[in-house]
Amino acid sequence: MRLKVDNEVCQGHNRCKVLAPELVDVDDEGYAVIKGDGTVPEELRGKAQLAVDNCPEFALSLEED
Amino acid sequence: MTTDHAQEHAGARRGEPLLAADGVEMAEGIYKMYPSSHGIPVADWATDFDHADPEYNKHAHEIWDDLRERCPVAHSERYGGTWLPTRHEDVRKIAYDTENFTSRQVIVVNGRADPEMSPVGQAPPITSDPPYHQHARKLLLSQFRPNKIDPLEGEIRAICRQRLDDLGEIVPGETVIDAATQYAQHIPPAVISRMLGFPPGDDDKFRYFIHHVIENIDGSPEEKLAVGLEFNAYLDAQIEDHKQNPRDDLTSYLLEAEIGGQKLPHETVRGAMLLLLIAGIDTTWSAIGASLWHLAQNPADVERLRNDPDVMIFALEEFLRAYAPVTMARLVAKDVEIGGCPMKEEDFVLLPFPAANRDPEFIENADKFIIDRRVNRHSAFGLGIHRCLGSNLARLELRVAIEEFVNRFPDFSLPKEGDQTTWSLGQIRGPRSLPLLIR
Ligand code: SF4
């Protein structure tokens, strides 16, 4: 599974960074960036889903490989 | 809304505006004034609402729930024509539509901001429109990202503790404190004025000024002009001081910042400073107060916060969802229909994000406070390009203020006489006086 962010839609709420700090970072301008290639290890699936479920802009998604 | 309703709204008559061009005195940047309807009781919230009526914020949740059921986009002739959508879907749609709606004016008053002010507006980027908006926003957003804000935690905690110490001797079961005026209202001004590099001890000035901008909706044009000029003079003095003595703070940052290779004009720097003060103070103070108001009536939630501090990551967002303080506004840029309602150019539209947060079609158990709610796409900070840029700071202040309060006072409630809270007037909703009994 991969976590993806739509940078056109992200407004920098930073909810994702708080809920899944292992997977998401914030760039110099304050917007979300996915760490690495976005692959979500098994043990972080819960956190990834939480980040997706709490993004007010619907900017995050989880995709099957 | 039913067709009848739509016709009723469409047929609304409104008083003729006065024009600055005819020599009428108006606040800076205002070119047109509609007659005041101050003090006229609200006949029906669906057709005659007034967000400045003292009953509105006090009963906001019931009013929104009622409107969502019977007239999801309410209308009022007041303020020269104003709309109030209450469903998440409509609020969201308007927040994203920067073509039909302009941010030239975001506070609903009788006057209309001069179209000449676009696309920058009086307090960029909140009053700016695309494409300029994006540049001003990026400039400021970068200053509020987590790695700039997180280091402030210790200082915010110290401010909270000092305020709690200053309450003096507490006799459990007897002492009543005002958690709004003795606690919540002091935290955000202290933080933002430090970030801007203003002299300490000017907090009363900020609160006085913000009260005029946000709550004194019906103030006379002369009064508005005078207060506006007075505050501009205050900000000009700060800018001058920073030009002489540049330092590591937000004011110096704005003076050095560039858009398109150009330093910002004086008015833009001052407008952005104005925004940071106004947006960061009333809103956060309101959120802290409303959260404590909730906790005073829900001891189980206090227990949970004390015994399971990890729940805060979810609780914080639930406070923000259920007691979101901020309603923004837009002006209609071009005639447009939303939810079957004919919105006319220069009508105001209120965007009650707190009402959207309580829409049962958008969120499960919308009327319940669930301290560990796992799915929470609330829009307390707004949606789309104008979404609050200080949310990391607001969250930090709200979290620390609640943590320190419940750590100091494990048991508190509304006073024995019952709820004595007074609520704010206008678009920012929160307690302005909040007597709590310490037990
Ligand atoms: S929560 Fe959504 S909008 Fe906010 S930073 Fe993350 S992806 Fe962007």
Side-chain angles (χ1 to χ4, degrees):
Chain A
M1 256 190 186
R2 265 169 212 269
L3 186 62
K4 287 186 69 176
V5 60
D6 181 344
N7 286 107
E8 295 281 298
V9 179
C10 169
Q11 295 294 346
H13 290 244
N14 300 158
R15 286 284 284 140
C16 47
K17 150 101 177 152
V18 172
L19 292 166
E22 299 87 345
L23 300 168
V24 194
D25 218 331
V26 175
D27 69 11
D28 285 349
E29 289 180 339
Y31 297 94
V33 276
I34 303 293
K35 287 188 176 172
D37 68 353
T39 304
V40 180
E42 191 59 39
E43 70 278 10
L44 291 177
R45 283 204 175 180
K47 286 196 174 184
Q49 190 62 51
L50 261 185
V52 170
D53 287 346
N54 286 278
C55 172
E57 310 281 348
F58 294 84
L60 292 166
S61 54
L62 267 173
E63 286 175 10
E64 297 289 344
D65 282 321
Chain B
M1 136 175 350
T2 64
T3 324
D4 278 359
H5 237 122
Q7 272 160 7
E8 196 177 327
H9 288 340
R13 279 181 301 119
R14 52 186 72 144
E16 286 302 308
L18 297 168
L19 296 173
D22 296 334
V24 183
E25 187 176 21
M26 290 180 193
E28 219 185 330
I30 299 293
Y31 85 114
K32 197 181 196 181
M33 286 283 291
Y34 286 91
S36 165
S37 53
H38 182 64
I40 302 173
V42 170
D44 180 342
W45 292 99
T47 54
D48 184 40
F49 69 84
D50 184 355
H51 67 298
D53 189 290
E55 295 300 302
Y56 180 76
N57 277 342
K58 196 168 167 198
H59 301 293
H61 295 169
E62 298 100 271
I63 292 172
W64 295 327
D65 288 349
D66 168 53
L67 289 176
R68 223 184 277 109
E69 294 252 308
R70 70 186 171 103
C71 180
V73 185
H75 180 258
S76 175
E77 283 179 48
R78 295 170 192 248
Y79 308 101
T82 307
W83 299 90
L84 177 69
T86 49
R87 292 188 311 184
H88 185 275
E89 195 192 319
D90 293 329
V91 170
R92 180 183 173 85
K93 203 193 268 170
I94 297 166
Y96 277 97
D97 183 350
T98 53
E99 220 187 289
N100 290 307
F101 299 91
T102 162
S103 285
R104 192 168 91 224
Q105 207 170 359
V106 292
I107 309 268
V108 172
V109 288
N110 288 314
R112 288 295 184 278
D114 197 329
E116 300 260 299
M117 314 260 303
S118 290
V120 180
Q122 210 161 16
I126 202 171
T127 55
S128 311
D129 287 324
Y132 173 85
H133 163 268
Q134 184 193 352
H135 304 294
R137 177 179 169 86
K138 284 204 165 156
L139 214 66
L140 286 178
L141 185 65
S142 65
Q143 298 306 301
F144 290 87
R145 61 183 203 264
N147 63 354
K148 294 257 180 190
I149 296 303
D150 294 349
L152 299 174
E153 176 163 347
E155 207 174 309
I156 296 173
R157 223 171 262 293
I159 293 170
C160 295
R161 287 186 182 161
Q162 184 64 50
R163 282 292 156 187
L164 292 169
D165 291 345
D166 289 350
L167 293 173
E169 203 203 334
I170 302 280
V171 185
E174 274 182 36
T175 305
V176 174
I177 62 155
D178 189 327
T181 60
Q182 290 181 283
Y183 185 61
Q185 84 169 15
H186 298 282
I187 300 161
V191 178
I192 194 70
S193 72
R194 261 223 64 186
M195 291 177 76
L196 281 160
F198 291 177
D202 283 346
D203 299 7
D204 285 341
K205 275 199 190 79
F206 308 147
R207 279 190 295 269
Y208 155 79
F209 179 69
I210 292 168
H211 170 78
H212 269 277
V213 175
I214 297 181
E215 290 202 272
N216 190 16
I217 293 159
D218 204 57
S220 71
E222 298 82 31
E223 192 182 11
K224 286 193 181 231
L225 183 63
V227 177
L229 293 177
E230 189 188 332
F231 208 67
N232 280 351
Y234 177 85
L235 294 176
D236 286 344
Q238 305 310 321
I239 291 174
E240 202 38 54
D241 176 45
H242 280 77
K243 278 188 178 158
Q244 305 292 329
N245 313 292
R247 39 205 194 256
D248 183 16
D249 60 27
L250 281 174
T251 303
S252 286
Y253 170 80
L254 285 167
L255 286 169
E256 285 304 312
E258 292 182 358
I259 290 183
Q262 303 266 318
K263 290 256 174 79
L264 309 180
H266 178 81
E267 285 71 31
T268 308
V269 171
R270 190 171 68 192
M273 291 163 77
L274 185 74
L275 165 66
L276 294 178
L277 270 182
I278 295 186
I281 294 183
D282 239 33
T283 52
T284 313
W285 163 28
S286 296
I288 297 170
S291 301
L292 295 176
W293 179 79
H294 170 90
L295 290 171
Q297 298 167 84
N298 294 276
D301 288 339
V302 178
E303 284 264 322
R304 181 79 188 271
L305 287 173
R306 285 174 59 88
N307 298 333
D308 174 14
D310 290 346
V311 80
M312 192 47 119
I313 199 171
F314 300 108
L316 189 61
E317 301 307 315
E318 185 64 344
F319 284 121
L320 286 165
R321 182 192 72 83
Y323 299 104
V326 182
T327 290
M328 268 297 118
R330 301 281 186 268
L331 280 176
V332 178
K334 303 178 198 152
D335 291 4
V336 60
E337 206 176 282
I338 298 281
C341 297
M343 301 186 175
K344 295 269 173 274
E345 191 181 330
E346 286 209 347
D347 280 352
F348 269 116
V349 185
L350 283 164
L351 292 181
F353 295 108
N357 282 350
R358 304 181 75 98
D359 179 353
E361 277 193 29
F362 180 69
I363 196 145
E364 270 176 49
N365 294 311
D367 58 345
K368 290 205 179 63
F369 183 93
I370 301 173
I371 197 163
D372 53 2
R373 191 184 281 276
R374 311 269 305 175
V375 178
N376 193 350
R377 290 182 208 263
H378 71 77
S379 45
F381 294 111
L383 290 168
I385 64 165
H386 286 283
R387 195 203 78 94
C388 168
L389 56 80
S391 63
N392 293 312
L393 176 61
R395 283 193 167 105
L396 180 62
E397 290 180 16
L398 178 59
R399 172 168 66 79
V400 171
I402 296 172
E403 283 171 356
E404 290 300 322
F405 196 90
V406 302
N407 284 341
R408 183 75 59 105
F409 302 125
D411 193 1
F412 58 95
S413 68
L414 295 177
K416 290 180 189 129
E417 307 76 47
D419 193 354
Q420 317 265 300
T421 310
T422 53
W423 294 85
S424 56
L425 302 178
Q427 285 172 237
I428 312 298
R429 178 176 189 269
R432 288 297 170 265
S433 167
L434 176 60
L436 296 181
L437 173 68
I438 307 299
R439 312 205 307 173

